[in-house]
């Protein structure tokens, strides 16, 4: 979208942003003002089909009336209850999540952002490792954490410590010691990396930000077996992929495994409030005691009410069914696009990535899609992210496919060959 096409209002917000906000995002020149379902509107009244749902935050659609109702009802009654007192809403949510997760004797620790939940997870894993691995502090032994190459767990210091992407980490070190990396999708590499000090393996069921990378069949069954045999915690970061996004309540259900810890966020807050947390096996969670963790706003009553409603909605089964059916339809439609610029289309449910040839920059394609009224972003250098709200319908998915076809058809057929 060319600057000369921008309205005075949009230009003013762009200038204000550059003047008063940190330059930590590379933004598209659209000033979003409102949203409903899977459509958003900018300050000039132009509508866009939302095909990324703010990184899967709006699984149930923007401004979902069912979630709005409980949020507004609760915020007018009690908006905060400090952790020093018993919070009935958090207690109810903890019970609901523990039972819904399928983890035996699970407990829940709330947070606000996904990255905060990752930080809490690292603390739990390291304390558990120190106790259960009988580490000798006098020898400098630490509870080691294994992560996967190409991961994305957030941008806080602990989450960055898990990253192998030097671009994300440049200038922010030193980072946490005791982090090792293995190839995603290679169970044998994990087996080789484990030693007597290894406390946990933290991994995404699908690497979204890394480029919509899916593991080979059987990988997670083997990983779960290795972790069990080696007394290593299996931690799944399901922040962008839980709550029907992949056609399952939780993406690990596709692999038929049960992890020790699940990290949740994004859709848990229904797109209305920041909310995250970690569901953990009781013996592991019990390494925490009074004073070992806390967060002022985590588990606030309005967020808990929304979380409870999210679980209630999920229990109907209709959301996972819809994501599965529409995902299959959308995936097939994208695969049928006749474009020399598409290298591969990958997806599960409505978690879909279109990989372009390396010479075609996905961000530039996303910019052209905006001009077509389609809003999405890239994942890595050359993958277009398609993760629409699950309220999307076939007609709207067809709009996105046709728009992508128009955009790609305007790029020279030889462009991907350099």
């Amino acid at each position: 979208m060319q600057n000369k096409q921008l309205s005075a209002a949009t230009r003013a917000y762009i200038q204000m942003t550059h003047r008063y906000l940190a330059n930590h995002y590379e933004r598209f020149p659209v000033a979003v003002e409102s949203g409903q379902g899977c459509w958003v509107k900018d300050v000039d009244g132009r509508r866009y089909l939302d095909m990324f749902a703010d990184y899967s935050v709006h699984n149930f659609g923007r401004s979902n009336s069912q979630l709005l109702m409980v949020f507004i009802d609760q915020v007018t009654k009690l908006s905060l209850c400090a952790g020093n007192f018993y919070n009935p809403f958090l207690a109810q949510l903890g019970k609901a999540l523990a039972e819904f997760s399928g983890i035996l004797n699970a407990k829940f620790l709330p947070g606000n952002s996904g990255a905060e939940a990752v930080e809490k997870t690292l603390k739990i894993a390291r304390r558990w490792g120190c106790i259960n691995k009988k580490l000798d502090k006098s020898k400098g032994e630490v509870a080691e954490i294994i992560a996967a190459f190409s991961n994305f767990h957030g941008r806080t210091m602990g989450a960055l410590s898990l990253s192998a992407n030097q671009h994300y980490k440049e200038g922010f070190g030193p980072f946490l010691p005791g982090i090792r990396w293995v190839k995603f999708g290679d169970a044998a590499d994990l087996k080789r990396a484990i030693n007597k000090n290894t406390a946990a393996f933290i991994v995404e069921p699908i690497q979204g930000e890394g480029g919509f990378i899916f593991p080979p069949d059987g990988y997670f069954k083997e990983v779960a077996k290795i972790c069990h045999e080696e007394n290593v915690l299996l931690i799944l970061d399901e922040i962008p992929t839980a709550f029907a996004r992949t056609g399952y309540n939780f993406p690990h259900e596709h692999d038929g495994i049960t992890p020790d810890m699940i990290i949740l966020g994004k859709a848990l807050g229904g797109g209305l409030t920041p909310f995250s947390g970690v569901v953990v096996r009781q013996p592991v969670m019990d390494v925490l005691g009074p004073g070992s963790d806390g967060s002022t706003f985590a588990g606030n009553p309005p967020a808990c009410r929304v979380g409870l409603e999210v679980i209630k909605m999920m229990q109907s089964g209709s959301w996972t069914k819809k994501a599965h059916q529409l995902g299959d339809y959308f995936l097939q439609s994208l695969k049928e696009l006749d474009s020399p610029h598409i290298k591969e289309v990958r997806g599960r449910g409505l978690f879909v990535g279109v990989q372009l040839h390396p010479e075609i920059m996905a961000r530039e394609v996303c910019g052209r899609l905006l001009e077509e009224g389609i809003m999405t972003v890239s994942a890595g250098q050359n993958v277009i992210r398609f993760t629409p709200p699950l309220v999307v319908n076939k007609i709207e998915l067809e709009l996105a496919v046709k728009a992508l076809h128009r955009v790609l058809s305007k790029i020279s057929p030889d462009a991907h060959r350099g």
Side-chain angles (χ1 to χ4, degrees):
M1 192 173 294
Q2 301 297 318
N3 286 338
K4 63 182 180 181
Q5 299 174 318
L6 302 180
S7 70
T10 297
R11 286 198 300 269
Y13 285 118
I14 290 174
Q15 292 168 3
M16 196 182 302
T17 298
H18 288 169
R19 169 61 182 83
Y20 293 106
L21 297 180
N23 186 29
H24 63 309
Y25 274 94
E26 188 176 5
R27 297 176 171 91
F28 290 104
V30 173
V32 180
E33 186 174 61
S34 62
Q36 184 71 48
C38 56
W39 291 88
V40 297
K41 188 182 292 185
D42 68 14
V43 293
D44 302 314
R46 185 179 184 190
R47 295 174 77 232
Y48 301 85
L49 177 60
D50 178 10
M51 289 300 293
F52 90 115
D54 287 346
Y55 299 98
S56 299
V57 168
H58 302 285
N59 277 12
F60 310 101
R62 292 176 181 267
S63 303
N64 180 285
S65 59
Q66 185 175 343
L67 297 176
L68 265 173
M69 183 172 63
V70 298
F71 179 78
I72 293 171
D73 176 69
Q74 185 57 49
V75 82
T76 60
K77 295 175 180 177
L78 181 68
S79 61
L80 188 61
C81 175
N84 311 75
F85 302 93
Y86 287 97
N87 181 339
F89 308 99
L90 182 56
Q92 292 175 68
L93 178 63
K95 179 177 185 293
L97 264 178
E99 293 173 350
F100 188 60
S101 72
I103 296 179
L104 187 64
N105 296 324
K107 287 188 172 185
F108 177 62
L109 178 64
N112 298 286
S113 70
E116 182 185 352
V118 170
E119 297 288 331
K120 292 173 181 290
T121 300
L122 290 175
K123 289 172 62 179
I124 295 168
R126 285 213 142 153
R127 178 169 282 192
W128 179 88
C130 286
I131 295 170
N132 285 270
K133 299 290 180 172
K134 298 180 173 56
L135 302 182
D136 190 339
K137 296 180 182 178
S138 67
K139 295 181 180 178
E141 293 182 341
V142 299
E144 294 186 0
I145 308 291
I146 296 176
F149 287 112
S150 303
N151 76 69
F152 183 82
H153 298 291
R155 300 184 191 273
T156 53
M157 289 300 288
L160 281 179
S161 297
L162 295 171
S163 178
N165 188 323
Q166 294 307 311
H167 174 68
Y168 293 155
K169 302 169 78 166
E170 186 177 351
F172 295 131
F175 298 97
L176 294 178
I179 308 293
R180 309 179 74 189
W181 293 274
V182 296
K183 299 174 185 174
F184 181 69
D186 188 337
D189 201 32
L190 172 65
K191 178 78 172 178
R192 288 189 293 268
I194 293 173
N195 61 43
K196 68 180 185 66
N197 294 342
T198 304
F201 177 42
I202 180 170
V203 61
E204 302 152 279
I206 305 164
Q207 292 189 327
E209 191 66 21
F212 281 67
I213 305 171
F214 289 75
D217 290 341
Y219 170 68
F220 274 104
K221 279 190 177 296
E222 186 63 22
V223 162
K225 180 174 179 288
I226 291 169
C227 288
H228 178 73
E229 291 174 348
E230 299 288 345
N231 193 28
V232 168
L233 300 177
L234 175 56
I235 304 170
L236 296 185
D237 181 342
E238 303 190 347
I239 293 168
T241 49
F243 304 114
R245 172 53 57 188
T246 64
Y248 297 86
N249 294 329
F250 303 98
H252 67 263
E253 293 173 357
H254 171 83
D255 300 287
I257 64 167
T258 303
D260 298 291
M261 307 169 71
I262 307 172
I263 311 173
L264 301 172
K266 297 194 185 298
L268 179 61
L272 300 176
T273 179
F275 198 22
S276 69
V278 54
V279 182
V280 186
R281 283 197 302 111
Q282 177 258 324
V284 180
M285 184 75 90
D286 283 352
V287 300
L288 295 182
S292 60
D293 193 77
S295 179
T296 302
F297 290 96
N300 64 78
C304 289
R305 284 285 304 278
V306 170
L308 280 165
E309 200 67 21
V310 164
I311 296 171
K312 180 181 176 181
M313 293 165 69
M314 289 294 302
Q315 287 171 331
S316 73
S318 61
W319 293 94
T320 52
K321 182 179 179 181
K322 183 175 184 181
H324 181 78
Q325 292 176 342
L326 285 179
D328 285 349
Y329 170 80
F330 187 44
L331 195 65
Q332 185 59 37
S333 297
L334 288 168
K335 287 182 176 180
E336 290 173 359
L337 280 179
D338 183 20
S339 172
H341 306 307
I342 295 177
K343 183 176 181 180
E344 187 179 12
V345 179
R346 300 184 292 271
R348 185 177 300 159
L350 284 170
F351 195 73
V352 179
V354 175
Q355 183 178 0
L356 306 174
H357 286 280
E359 294 79 10
I360 309 297
M361 299 299 292
R363 177 179 166 79
E364 293 181 11
V365 174
C366 291
R368 297 188 188 188
L369 282 171
L370 267 179
E371 296 174 358
E372 296 280 343
I374 306 297
M375 179 177 285
T376 191
V377 297
S378 58
Q381 291 290 318
N382 63 332
V383 175
I384 304 170
R385 179 192 307 265
F386 286 114
T387 56
L390 306 183
V391 296
V392 72
N393 59 43
K394 282 188 176 182
I395 294 174
E396 290 160 338
L397 291 175
E398 288 170 3
L399 288 176
V401 173
K402 290 176 180 177
L404 180 62
H405 176 71
R406 287 194 298 272
V407 167
L408 294 179
S409 66
K410 294 176 184 177
I411 302 174
S412 168
D414 296 324
H416 74 272
R417 301 188 185 97

